[in-house]
Amino acid sequence: MENTVEKIEQIARQGLELEDLKDCFLVEVVHSNTKVQVFIDSDEGIGFEQCRKLSRFMESVLDEKLILGEKYILEVSSPGISRPLKFLRQYPKNIGREIECSMKDDTKIKGLLIDVKDETLIIETKDSDSGELINKEISFDAVRSSKILISFGKKKMKK
């Protein structure tokens, strides 16, 4: 039998097939007690109306099937800058931002995300020996997790 999170993920994916949500994808569902957080993203970013539309769809299904009972809190939002990037398709819209990648070999790479090509991230970082800026190409498969670093006063570079 499916667990509750899997059921909620399935409902969210059904909702993402609705018009105006087809370019969106499910990032994560977090469920604890009576609170459910659903994080969605798209290649262009997520707006309030998209979150509202998915939330209303999900509420109608959850209320009908009573998967969470009668009392629950449902939050639908974008992952936000503080949550790690999970999918390759989340990277292109972050080109020009500072990023920190924790690699599967337990190293970290920190720098400016310059480009994303196929399954490869290109990050401008300081060479550990010379201190010079270099473009380092890393395979997405080698990344354990990545997060965008918040930097005040810097503007995002345009493609």
Side-chain angles (χ1 to χ4, degrees), residues 9-27 38-41 46 50 53-54 57-58 76:
E9 287 173 350
Q10 184 179 18
I11 294 166
R13 285 190 179 93
Q14 289 171 351
L16 292 173
E17 293 174 11
L18 295 171
E19 198 61 39
D20 300 331
L21 296 178
K22 291 186 184 213
D23 65 330
C24 301
F25 58 95
L26 181 63
V27 174
V38 178
F39 297 101
I40 59 173
D41 208 346
I46 294 295
Q50 292 163 307
K53 188 169 191 170
L54 181 61
F57 172 83
M58 292 185 68
V76 176

Side-chain angles (χ1 to χ4, degrees), residues 6 11 15 25 29 36 38-39 46 60-61 71 74 82-83 88 92 102 104 120 126 129 131 142 146-147 151 153 157:
E6 288 171 341
I11 294 166
F25 58 95
V29 170
V36 176
V38 178
F39 297 101
I46 294 295
S60 69
V61 176
K71 290 188 177 189
L74 174 65
S82 63
R83 297 192 74 80
L88 184 61
S102 296
K104 290 179 180 173
T120 303
K126 286 187 181 181
D129 297 326
S146 295
K147 62 182 178 180
S151 55
M157 295 179 0

Side-chain angles (χ1 to χ4, degrees), residues 4-151:
T4 304
V5 171
E6 288 171 341
K7 288 178 184 177
I8 295 167
E9 287 173 350
Q10 184 179 18
I11 294 166
R13 285 190 179 93
Q14 289 171 351
L16 292 173
E17 293 174 11
L18 295 171
E19 198 61 39
D20 300 331
L21 296 178
K22 291 186 184 213
D23 65 330
C24 301
F25 58 95
L26 181 63
V27 174
E28 183 177 20
V29 170
V30 178
H31 175 240
S32 61
N33 298 323
T34 60
K35 184 175 181 178
V36 176
Q37 294 174 293
V38 178
F39 297 101
I40 59 173
D41 208 346
S42 80
D43 299 329
E44 300 299 319
I46 294 295
F48 172 77
E49 285 303 315
Q50 292 163 307
C51 293
R52 185 174 65 83
K53 188 169 191 170
L54 181 61
S55 178
R56 292 222 170 122
F57 172 83
M58 292 185 68
E59 284 172 353
S60 69
V61 176
L62 290 169
D63 289 348
E64 178 186 322
K65 296 186 177 187
L66 292 175
I67 293 170
L68 299 170
E70 293 184 11
K71 290 188 177 189
Y72 63 89
I73 298 168
L74 174 65
E75 294 177 1
V76 176
S77 69
S78 69
I81 199 141
S82 63
R83 297 192 74 80
L85 302 178
K86 289 190 151 205
F87 301 102
L88 184 61
R89 74 186 277 191
Q90 291 179 286
Y91 286 80
K93 70 179 174 189
N94 287 295
I95 289 173
R97 289 190 168 138
E98 292 288 322
I99 191 169
E100 182 177 84
C101 298
S102 296
M103 309 303 291
K104 290 179 180 173
D105 67 2
D106 293 328
T107 61
K108 287 191 177 186
I109 298 172
K110 184 176 174 180
L112 189 68
L113 181 61
I114 298 294
D115 204 357
V116 180
K117 293 182 180 175
D118 299 319
E119 298 276 322
T120 303
L121 309 175
I122 302 170
I123 299 175
E124 182 182 74
T125 187
K126 286 187 181 181
D127 182 71
S128 57
D129 297 326
S130 68
E132 292 182 25
L133 289 177
I134 59 168
N135 286 351
K136 188 164 188 139
E137 294 186 13
I138 59 173
S139 168
F140 178 71
D141 290 339
V143 177
R144 179 179 297 127
S145 68
S146 295
K147 62 182 178 180
I148 300 300
L149 302 176
I150 300 170
S151 55

